[in-house]
Amino acid sequence: MAKYLLLKHYRGAPAAVNDVPMDQWQPEEITAHIKYMQDFAARLEKTGEFVDGQALAPEGTWVRYDGEGRPPVTDGPFAETKDLIAGWMVIDVDSYERAIELAGELSAAPGAGGKPIHEWLEVRPFLAVPPTITE
Amino acid sequence: MDEALLRSLTPAVLGVLVRRGADFAAAEDAVQEALVEAVRVWPADPPRDPKGWLVTVAWRKFLDATRADATRRRREDLVEQEPAGGPASEVDDTLRLYFLCAHPSLTPSSAVALTLRAIGGLTTRQIARAYLVPETTMAQRISRAKRTVSGVRFDRPGDVATVLRVLYLVFNEGYSGDVDLAAEAIRLTRQLAAAIDHPEVAGLLALMLLHHARRAGRIGPDGGLVPLAEQDRARWDGGLIAEGVGILQAALVRDRLGEFQAQAAIAALHADAPTAEETDWVQIVEWYDELVRLTDSPVVRLNRAVAVGEADGPRAGLAALAALDDSLPRHAAVAAHLRERDGDLVTAARLYAEAARKAPNLAERDHLTRQAARLNARLNARGPDPGSRRG
């Protein structure tokens, strides 16, 4: 088994095929989209492949250490940040091929006009623990 | 076996151990072990005296756990002691535990976790699941909390307001996980109300019951949030509403108003209205004025602006909103609602979309996105309007 992070971006991913902002969809299309996402996660729980899923607020803050005895420096949020993560799902699957297959299904979530969004998702393998048998 | 009934014995049993001289942290561990044992043994072999059984088993667990020589000497003294009994002291024990677990030296998250375990009798795993953190993290949080209060004397009452804040936090945490935290908060607040005569404890209990009563109406068939005005009132729990209103009325006649009674009064006015249109908004505004006086909270002023919008029209609501800082959470959502009622759909749609971006949870974000989409769909159907679309 290997873990993969499926990353969804607010910004920074190539444009989706069906790229319409959600507030311009029909309300029932939003409902259908949310149901698709919930059903997808529920299905992966049943197959024993779901680990975690979280959504992130669009705005964050940059923080860095500023030396002994000083409070951390904060900056942002920056409107021009190129890459903005919207959320993730962590899956634990038998193969890279399975991870790709699942990301493909997630990208087919319905959007405007009830048609698949064809959204680009980023699939990132976790760095695993070293194996016990190495030779 | 009724697990809630079993857990309701937790504070009394813990109180007995502490009164016999066990230190709080060790006694609490021993009571947890006794609860686990009860869940295992009782279904096949229910005891005639459940509390007596728990005290005996917990005390044995406590003795087993204290092995060092010095402790053994002390323990031999302790074994000789009979617990000081009597129902009056049991009530006092329970009350002291509430104060201890909500002690001001604890952070809110620690106080919540300790209250759920030491008074609620929940296991660390159940609490961890309810708050979506790893069990080891929750175990550390609880043991640190126990260390923090280990030096606190057990014989002095504390401030009821700190206990109420902790119970309010538990209730407000929502309905995720396999433990129903809202129901648990109600159970713990009922238990507290039985132990102490205080109008604000009654006020909080009434507030919880009145909100809990609306729970079935709050979520639609598609799992989305349903706003108060659109809820199917037939799905509200009339029994809980009647109980909440009764408790609130008994508290209010004592003329010691506090913020929880005022909040409960607002919830009761909503519950009383047969339809959304029949809501007594004028009285609700008056209660918000009381709340502003009691708390001076900007969040209360924001909610007051909504009520003013209903009582005196959207323009009045927008005027009340204009005095508030627009960085307040949910400010954009309130502004969107008032703009829509005022007929400015273009601005309302833009504000709903902005509110969705700032929403603190997914359910609200989905709801606000749908509101924006609903208005945009209406605007687009009306034909091209240069102000309604961007890009």
Side-chain angles (χ1 to χ4, degrees):
Chain A
M1 296 294 271
K3 291 193 178 67
Y4 290 87
L5 177 66
L6 311 186
L7 267 183
K8 182 182 162 78
H9 295 249
Y10 284 118
R11 272 204 301 272
V17 173
N18 184 8
D19 191 18
V20 180
M22 215 174 193
D23 63 345
Q24 299 291 336
W25 302 3
Q26 294 297 320
E28 55 276 14
E29 292 166 359
I30 297 175
T31 302
H33 176 82
I34 292 164
K35 182 162 188 329
Y36 184 97
M37 303 300 276
Q38 285 167 347
D39 290 350
F40 182 81
R43 192 153 50 82
L44 289 197
E45 277 187 43
K46 284 213 184 89
T47 58
E49 294 173 309
F50 180 84
V51 180
D52 182 36
Q54 298 290 337
L56 296 176
E59 285 194 350
T61 308
W62 289 92
V63 183
R64 73 163 172 81
Y65 176 60
D66 197 38
E68 192 63 41
R70 298 158 71 108
V73 181
T74 61
D75 208 350
F78 300 113
E80 72 278 13
T81 303
K82 287 198 183 68
D83 193 53
L84 201 55
I85 293 163
W88 65 75
M89 191 176 283
V90 176
I91 55 173
D92 195 3
V93 292
D94 280 316
S95 65
Y96 174 72
E97 288 70 27
R98 176 66 177 157
I100 295 300
E101 182 188 348
L102 289 174
E105 284 181 34
L106 196 56
S107 166
K115 297 193 189 75
I117 304 175
H118 300 272
E119 177 178 28
W120 288 96
L121 297 172
E122 196 179 354
V123 178
R124 303 277 300 269
F126 276 47
L127 293 179
V129 290
T132 312
I133 300 167
T134 53
E135 70 278 350
Chain B
M1 186 180 56
D2 184 347
E3 202 193 309
L5 180 75
L6 166 67
R7 292 197 284 106
S8 71
L9 297 168
T10 309
V13 175
L14 180 52
V16 170
L17 263 66
V18 172
R19 223 159 357 99
R20 280 186 186 178
D23 70 283
F24 171 70
E28 203 279 323
D29 283 333
V31 172
Q32 273 280 325
E33 286 182 43
L35 291 172
V36 170
E37 183 102 351
V39 169
R40 198 171 61 81
V41 173
W42 286 13
D45 184 15
R48 239 176 313 165
D49 172 14
K51 188 189 152 195
W53 188 99
L54 282 170
V55 168
T56 306
V57 172
W59 186 248
R60 199 164 58 231
K61 300 275 184 196
F62 166 71
L63 293 179
D64 289 348
T66 47
R67 291 203 187 83
D69 268 3
T71 325
R72 193 188 303 138
R73 270 199 301 281
R74 192 164 65 93
R75 153 183 117 190
E76 278 151 9
D77 295 339
L78 289 173
V79 173
E80 301 304 314
Q81 271 175 250
E82 275 299 297
S89 63
E90 188 178 302
V91 166
D92 291 346
D93 284 345
T94 299
L95 205 50
R96 285 186 197 119
L97 279 173
Y98 275 91
F99 289 130
L100 187 68
C101 294
H103 196 267
S105 62
L106 295 168
T107 61
S109 59
S110 305
V112 161
L114 192 58
T115 299
L116 288 173
R117 208 180 109 122
I119 306 173
L122 292 174
T123 64
T124 302
R125 172 177 299 185
Q126 287 174 313
I127 303 167
R129 285 214 186 138
Y131 288 97
L132 305 175
V133 299
E135 191 178 342
T136 46
T137 303
M138 189 51 81
Q140 279 303 321
R141 192 179 296 174
I142 290 168
S143 62
R144 282 175 67 104
K146 290 209 278 187
R147 274 204 301 280
T148 302
V149 296
S150 64
V152 175
R153 282 179 58 185
F154 193 61
D155 56 354
R156 261 180 263 178
D159 181 2
V160 174
T162 62
V163 178
L164 295 183
R165 266 196 294 279
V166 169
L167 296 174
Y168 183 83
L169 276 180
V170 175
F171 182 77
N172 237 354
E173 196 61 36
Y175 307 114
S176 63
D178 55 352
V179 173
D180 184 342
L181 287 177
E184 184 63 11
I186 288 174
R187 191 180 72 76
L188 293 177
T189 308
R190 268 190 209 285
Q191 198 169 261
L192 178 66
I196 188 171
D197 185 22
H198 193 292
E200 274 294 87
V201 177
L204 179 61
L205 180 57
L207 176 66
M208 288 176 175
L209 292 169
L210 289 164
H211 276 275
H212 206 54
R214 302 208 296 253
R215 180 177 180 171
R218 200 151 41 213
I219 304 294
D222 57 4
L225 284 182
V226 183
L228 184 55
E230 290 161 31
Q231 287 177 18
D232 175 3
R233 291 173 188 232
R235 299 189 68 197
W236 291 359
D237 185 327
L240 285 181
I241 290 173
E243 190 190 356
V245 168
I247 292 169
L248 174 66
Q249 281 170 342
L252 286 176
V253 295
R254 301 175 60 184
D255 209 19
R256 281 167 60 204
L257 188 63
E259 58 174 304
F260 291 120
Q261 292 168 79
Q263 281 192 56
I266 292 165
L269 284 167
H270 285 300
D272 268 349
T275 63
E277 293 71 34
E278 290 166 89
T279 308
D280 187 347
W281 286 104
V282 172
Q283 236 198 107
I284 288 177
V285 171
E286 286 168 13
W287 279 110
Y288 273 117
D289 289 338
E290 289 285 1
L291 262 180
V292 167
R293 189 179 57 75
L294 288 163
T295 66
D296 196 30
S297 143
V299 175
V300 169
R301 287 178 194 273
L302 187 66
N303 289 329
R304 184 183 169 278
V306 177
V308 168
E310 299 294 337
D312 302 329
R315 291 285 165 89
L318 286 164
L321 189 66
L324 299 173
D325 184 348
D326 64 8
S327 68
L328 267 174
R330 299 189 175 88
H331 186 283
V334 170
H337 173 73
L338 290 169
R339 289 284 177 195
E340 182 184 356
R341 293 209 49 230
D342 194 36
D344 183 355
L345 302 194
V346 174
T347 308
R350 181 179 56 74
L351 284 167
Y352 274 128
E354 181 189 330
R357 281 193 296 277
K358 292 179 174 170
N361 60 65
L362 263 183
E364 277 180 53
R365 178 160 90 185
D366 292 344
H367 172 69
L368 292 163
T369 307
R370 249 191 229 112
Q371 296 288 76
R374 176 178 56 80
L375 292 189
N376 283 327
R378 264 173 72 185
L379 288 164
N380 293 340
R382 216 187 254 180
D385 177 342
S388 71
R389 305 192 63 162
R390 348 192 127 239

